[in-house]
Amino acid sequence: TALRARPHSVVLQYMPTAAGGSDDLILTVGLDDGSSVRTGVDPITGSISTSPTGRFLGARPVSVSRITIDSSPATLLLSSRPWISRPDPKSGKHVMAPLSYAPLDHGCSFTSEMIKEGIVATSGTTLRILAVEAEGACIGTADEAFNSNKVDLRYTPRQTCLLECGGGGLPQDARKLLLVLVESDYNDYGMEEKQSMGFDPTGAGQKKKSEKKSGDDGDGMDIDSDEEDENKKKEDDEDDEEDEEEKEQ
Protein backbone atom coordinates (compact mmCIF):
# COMPACT_ATOMS: atom_id res chain seq x y z
CA THR A 1 0.00 0.00 0.00
CA ALA A 2 1.46 3.37 -1.07
CA LEU A 3 1.55 6.18 1.47
CA ARG A 4 1.11 9.83 0.52
CA ALA A 5 3.73 10.99 3.08
CA ARG A 6 6.76 9.63 4.94
CA PRO A 7 5.92 7.45 7.98
CA HIS A 8 6.73 8.96 11.35
CA SER A 9 5.59 6.23 13.79
CA VAL A 10 4.14 2.71 13.48
CA VAL A 11 2.15 0.49 15.87
CA LEU A 12 0.96 -3.10 15.33
CA GLN A 13 -1.57 -4.49 17.83
CA TYR A 14 -4.51 -6.88 18.20
CA MET A 15 -7.97 -5.34 18.46
CA PRO A 16 -11.15 -7.15 19.61
CA THR A 17 -13.96 -7.74 17.10
CA ALA A 18 -17.71 -7.21 17.49
CA ALA A 19 -18.59 -10.88 16.99
CA GLY A 20 -16.37 -11.92 19.92
CA GLY A 21 -14.20 -14.16 17.76
CA SER A 22 -10.47 -13.90 17.17
CA ASP A 23 -8.92 -10.45 17.47
CA ASP A 24 -7.95 -8.51 14.36
CA LEU A 25 -4.35 -7.48 13.79
CA ILE A 26 -4.39 -3.72 13.13
CA LEU A 27 -1.54 -1.62 11.75
CA THR A 28 -1.62 2.11 12.58
CA VAL A 29 0.85 4.44 10.86
CA GLY A 30 1.43 8.09 11.77
CA LEU A 31 2.63 10.24 8.87
CA ASP A 32 4.74 13.39 8.72
CA ASP A 33 1.95 15.41 7.11
CA GLY A 34 -0.22 15.16 10.25
CA SER A 35 -2.45 12.30 9.13
CA SER A 36 -2.78 8.65 10.17
CA VAL A 37 -3.49 5.43 8.26
CA ARG A 38 -5.20 2.40 9.79
CA THR A 39 -5.36 -0.97 8.02
CA GLY A 40 -5.74 -4.67 8.77
CA VAL A 41 -2.95 -7.24 8.54
CA ASP A 42 -3.33 -10.97 7.92
CA PRO A 43 -1.70 -12.68 10.96
CA ILE A 44 -0.73 -15.75 8.86
CA THR A 45 0.52 -14.35 5.55
CA GLY A 46 1.36 -10.83 6.74
CA SER A 47 -0.44 -9.25 3.79
CA ILE A 48 -1.81 -5.72 4.28
CA SER A 49 -5.38 -4.82 3.41
CA THR A 50 -5.79 -2.90 0.17
CA SER A 51 -8.42 -0.53 1.62
CA PRO A 52 -6.79 1.43 4.48
CA THR A 53 -8.62 4.24 6.23
CA GLY A 54 -6.90 7.58 6.78
CA ARG A 55 -7.67 10.68 8.78
CA PHE A 56 -6.06 14.09 9.19
CA LEU A 57 -5.24 14.77 12.87
CA GLY A 58 -3.24 18.00 13.00
CA ALA A 59 -0.36 20.10 11.71
CA ARG A 60 2.42 18.12 13.45
CA PRO A 61 3.80 14.65 12.58
CA VAL A 62 1.71 11.92 14.21
CA SER A 63 3.25 9.79 16.97
CA VAL A 64 1.34 6.57 17.81
CA SER A 65 1.62 4.21 20.79
CA ARG A 66 -0.32 1.37 22.45
CA ILE A 67 -2.47 2.06 25.52
CA THR A 68 -5.29 0.34 27.44
CA ILE A 69 -8.76 1.76 28.14
CA ASP A 70 -11.39 -0.18 30.07
CA SER A 71 -9.23 -3.34 29.88
CA SER A 72 -9.30 -3.15 26.07
CA PRO A 73 -6.44 -2.24 23.72
CA ALA A 74 -6.47 1.24 22.23
CA THR A 75 -4.14 3.53 20.32
CA LEU A 76 -2.88 6.95 21.36
CA LEU A 77 -2.18 9.33 18.46
CA LEU A 78 -0.36 12.61 19.14
CA SER A 79 -0.30 15.55 16.75
CA SER A 80 -1.40 19.15 17.30
CA ARG A 81 -3.77 17.58 19.85
CA PRO A 82 -4.06 14.04 21.30
CA TRP A 83 -6.46 11.46 19.84
CA ILE A 84 -7.76 8.10 21.05
CA SER A 85 -8.48 5.25 18.61
CA ARG A 86 -10.31 2.14 19.85
CA PRO A 87 -13.14 -0.28 18.96
CA ASP A 88 -16.53 0.52 20.48
CA PRO A 89 -17.35 -2.33 22.91
CA LYS A 90 -21.10 -2.00 22.23
CA SER A 91 -21.27 -1.72 18.46
CA GLY A 92 -17.85 -3.15 17.60
CA LYS A 93 -17.17 -0.29 15.20
CA HIS A 94 -13.87 1.53 15.22
CA VAL A 95 -14.09 5.04 16.73
CA MET A 96 -11.55 7.86 16.87
CA ALA A 97 -12.02 11.04 18.90
CA PRO A 98 -9.83 13.93 20.11
CA LEU A 99 -9.07 14.55 23.76
CA SER A 100 -9.73 18.02 25.19
CA TYR A 101 -6.19 18.38 26.48
CA ALA A 102 -2.99 20.30 25.77
CA PRO A 103 -0.72 19.08 22.92
CA LEU A 104 1.63 16.26 23.89
CA ASP A 105 4.99 15.24 22.40
CA HIS A 106 5.27 11.57 23.42
CA GLY A 107 3.10 9.14 25.38
CA CYS A 108 2.68 5.50 26.35
CA SER A 109 0.66 3.25 28.68
CA PHE A 110 1.10 3.72 32.43
CA THR A 111 -0.02 1.58 35.40
CA SER A 112 0.32 2.14 39.15
CA GLU A 113 -1.50 1.31 42.38
CA MET A 114 -3.54 4.51 42.22
CA ILE A 115 -4.00 4.63 38.42
CA LYS A 116 -4.82 1.22 36.98
CA GLU A 117 -5.04 2.39 33.38
CA GLY A 118 -3.31 5.64 32.60
CA ILE A 119 -1.10 7.47 30.13
CA VAL A 120 2.31 8.96 30.88
CA ALA A 121 3.28 11.70 28.43
CA THR A 122 5.70 14.56 27.93
CA SER A 123 4.88 18.11 26.85
CA GLY A 124 8.07 20.10 26.35
CA THR A 125 9.95 19.77 29.66
CA THR A 126 6.83 18.72 31.62
CA LEU A 127 5.92 15.14 32.55
CA ARG A 128 2.17 14.48 32.67
CA ILE A 129 0.13 11.49 33.87
CA LEU A 130 -3.41 11.18 32.48
CA ALA A 131 -6.35 8.90 33.21
CA VAL A 132 -8.98 8.42 30.48
CA GLU A 133 -12.22 6.93 31.75
CA ALA A 134 -14.20 4.96 29.19
CA GLU A 135 -17.49 5.29 31.09
CA GLY A 136 -18.87 8.76 30.54
CA ALA A 137 -15.93 9.86 28.41
CA CYS A 138 -18.13 9.95 25.29
CA ILE A 139 -15.30 8.65 23.09
CA GLY A 140 -16.52 8.47 19.55
CA THR A 141 -19.66 10.54 20.13
CA ALA A 142 -20.55 14.12 19.30
CA ASP A 143 -19.84 15.24 22.90
CA GLU A 144 -16.11 14.53 22.45
CA ALA A 145 -15.81 16.21 19.05
CA PHE A 146 -14.77 19.58 20.49
CA ASN A 147 -11.33 20.79 21.51
CA SER A 148 -10.21 24.20 22.80
CA ASN A 149 -6.98 26.04 22.07
CA LYS A 150 -5.96 29.54 23.19
CA VAL A 151 -4.58 31.92 20.53
CA ASP A 152 -3.49 35.49 21.33
CA LEU A 153 -4.90 38.12 18.94
CA ARG A 154 -3.23 41.40 17.93
CA TYR A 155 -6.41 43.33 17.16
CA THR A 156 -10.15 43.14 17.81
CA PRO A 157 -11.78 40.09 16.12
CA ARG A 158 -14.47 41.04 13.61
CA GLN A 159 -15.42 37.98 11.51
CA THR A 160 -14.69 34.23 11.21
CA CYS A 161 -15.21 31.72 8.44
CA LEU A 162 -14.20 28.15 7.51
CA LEU A 163 -12.20 27.47 4.35
CA GLU A 164 -11.67 24.02 2.83
CA CYS A 165 -8.22 23.40 1.34
CA GLY A 166 -7.12 20.60 -0.94
CA GLY A 167 -9.40 20.98 -3.94
CA GLY A 168 -12.12 18.75 -5.24
CA GLY A 169 -9.72 16.13 -6.61
CA LEU A 170 -8.67 14.84 -3.17
CA PRO A 171 -10.73 12.44 -1.07
CA GLN A 172 -12.73 13.79 1.84
CA ASP A 173 -10.33 12.54 4.54
CA ALA A 174 -7.37 14.26 2.82
CA ARG A 175 -8.94 17.73 2.80
CA LYS A 176 -8.18 20.30 5.48
CA LEU A 177 -10.40 22.88 7.13
CA LEU A 178 -8.92 26.24 8.06
CA LEU A 179 -10.50 28.71 10.47
CA VAL A 180 -9.89 32.26 9.19
CA LEU A 181 -10.25 35.15 11.64
CA VAL A 182 -10.43 38.78 10.53
CA GLU A 183 -8.98 41.31 12.99
CA SER A 184 -9.02 45.10 12.76
CA ASP A 185 -8.81 48.25 14.88
CA TYR A 186 -9.80 51.77 13.93
CA ASN A 187 -6.99 54.22 13.11
CA ASP A 188 -4.19 51.76 13.91
CA TYR A 189 -1.08 50.70 12.01
CA GLY A 190 -0.22 47.11 11.09
CA MET A 191 2.63 45.14 12.67
CA GLU A 192 5.03 45.68 9.76
CA GLU A 193 4.35 49.42 9.64
CA LYS A 194 4.97 49.73 13.38
CA GLN A 195 8.28 47.87 13.16
CA SER A 196 9.41 49.91 10.13
CA MET A 197 8.72 53.15 12.03
CA GLY A 198 10.71 51.92 15.05
CA PHE A 199 7.77 51.32 17.38
CA ASP A 200 7.82 48.50 19.89
CA PRO A 201 4.70 46.36 19.11
CA THR A 202 4.56 44.98 22.67
CA GLY A 203 4.91 48.37 24.32
CA ALA A 204 7.15 46.95 27.07
CA GLY A 205 10.26 48.92 26.12
CA GLN A 206 8.35 52.17 25.79
CA LYS A 207 6.76 51.65 29.20
CA LYS A 208 10.13 51.07 30.89
CA LYS A 209 11.59 54.08 29.12
CA SER A 210 8.72 56.34 30.18
CA GLU A 211 9.00 55.15 33.81
CA LYS A 212 12.73 55.77 33.86
CA LYS A 213 12.34 59.17 32.24
CA SER A 214 9.65 60.25 34.66
CA GLY A 215 11.83 59.19 37.61
CA ASP A 216 14.81 61.15 36.31
CA ASP A 217 12.71 64.25 35.67
CA GLY A 218 11.30 64.13 39.19
CA ASP A 219 14.75 64.08 40.79
CA GLY A 220 15.99 66.86 38.49
CA MET A 221 13.02 69.07 39.31
CA ASP A 222 13.65 68.71 43.04
CA ILE A 223 17.33 69.65 42.66
CA ASP A 224 16.54 72.60 40.38
CA SER A 225 13.92 73.92 42.77
CA ASP A 226 16.35 73.80 45.72
CA GLU A 227 19.03 75.68 43.78
CA GLU A 228 16.53 78.29 42.68
CA ASP A 229 15.39 78.81 46.26
CA GLU A 230 18.98 79.29 47.47
CA ASN A 231 19.79 81.73 44.66
CA LYS A 232 16.61 83.68 45.33
CA LYS A 233 17.44 83.84 49.04
CA LYS A 234 20.92 85.19 48.30
CA GLU A 235 19.50 87.84 45.98
CA ASP A 236 17.01 88.89 48.64
CA ASP A 237 19.78 89.17 51.23
CA GLU A 238 21.89 91.29 48.88
CA ASP A 239 18.93 93.57 48.18
CA ASP A 240 18.33 93.98 51.91
CA GLU A 241 21.99 94.90 52.50
CA GLU A 242 21.87 97.50 49.72
CA ASP A 243 18.72 99.00 51.17
CA GLU A 244 20.34 99.28 54.62
CA GLU A 245 23.43 100.95 53.14
CA GLU A 246 21.29 103.47 51.31
CA LYS A 247 19.42 104.29 54.52
CA GLU A 248 22.65 104.83 56.46
CA GLN A 249 23.90 107.22 53.78
Side-chain angles (χ1 to χ4, degrees), residues 113-189:
E113 295 181 357
M114 299 181 62
I115 303 176
K116 299 301 180 182
E117 296 176 350
I119 301 172
V120 58
T122 58
S123 178
T125 58
T126 305
L127 182 66
R128 303 175 184 268
I129 297 177
L130 317 176
V132 181
E133 298 180 358
E135 296 295 333
C138 302
I139 296 179
T141 64
D143 295 335
E144 187 62 20
F146 296 96
N147 188 68
S148 61
N149 189 17
K150 181 180 179 181
V151 178
D152 295 331
L153 303 180
R154 296 177 181 173
Y155 309 103
T156 305
R158 303 295 181 181
Q159 274 186 330
T160 59
C161 65
L162 287 175
L163 296 180
E164 185 176 5
C165 300
L170 295 177
Q172 186 67 27
D173 56 0
R175 300 178 186 178
K176 299 179 181 179
L177 287 177
L178 298 179
L179 176 63
V180 181
L181 178 64
V182 180
E183 310 170 36
S184 66
D185 279 328
Y186 178 73
N187 200 18
D188 194 4
Y189 291 99

Side-chain angles (χ1 to χ4, degrees), residues 63 65-68 76 78 101 104-112 115 117-123 126-132:
S63 175
S65 59
R66 290 185 290 265
I67 60 174
T68 303
L76 175 66
L78 303 178
Y101 199 76
L104 302 174
D105 298 328
H106 305 281
C108 63
S109 182
F110 175 79
T111 302
S112 66
I115 303 176
E117 296 176 350
I119 301 172
V120 58
T122 58
S123 178
T126 305
L127 182 66
R128 303 175 184 268
I129 297 177
L130 317 176
V132 181

Side-chain angles (χ1 to χ4, degrees), residues 134-248:
E135 296 295 333
C138 302
I139 296 179
T141 64
D143 295 335
E144 187 62 20
F146 296 96
N147 188 68
S148 61
N149 189 17
K150 181 180 179 181
V151 178
D152 295 331
L153 303 180
R154 296 177 181 173
Y155 309 103
T156 305
R158 303 295 181 181
Q159 274 186 330
T160 59
C161 65
L162 287 175
L163 296 180
E164 185 176 5
C165 300
L170 295 177
Q172 186 67 27
D173 56 0
R175 300 178 186 178
K176 299 179 181 179
L177 287 177
L178 298 179
L179 176 63
V180 181
L181 178 64
V182 180
E183 310 170 36
S184 66
D185 279 328
Y186 178 73
N187 200 18
D188 194 4
Y189 291 99
M191 184 66 65
E192 295 181 357
E193 287 80 0
K194 288 182 179 180
Q195 292 178 350
S196 63
M197 291 186 293
F199 290 103
D200 186 6
T202 60
Q206 187 176 3
K207 184 177 180 181
K208 292 180 180 179
K209 186 177 179 181
S210 62
E211 291 177 354
K212 184 178 180 181
K213 186 176 180 181
S214 62
D216 294 342
D217 292 343
D219 295 339
M221 289 178 64
D222 293 338
I223 295 173
D224 293 341
S225 62
D226 293 340
E227 291 179 355
E228 289 178 357
D229 293 340
E230 292 178 359
N231 293 333
K232 188 175 181 180
K233 186 177 181 181
K234 289 180 180 180
E235 292 177 357
D236 294 339
D237 293 340
E238 292 176 356
D239 293 338
D240 294 340
E241 292 177 358
E242 291 178 357
D243 292 340
E244 291 178 357
E245 290 177 357
E246 290 177 357
K247 289 181 180 179
E248 291 175 357

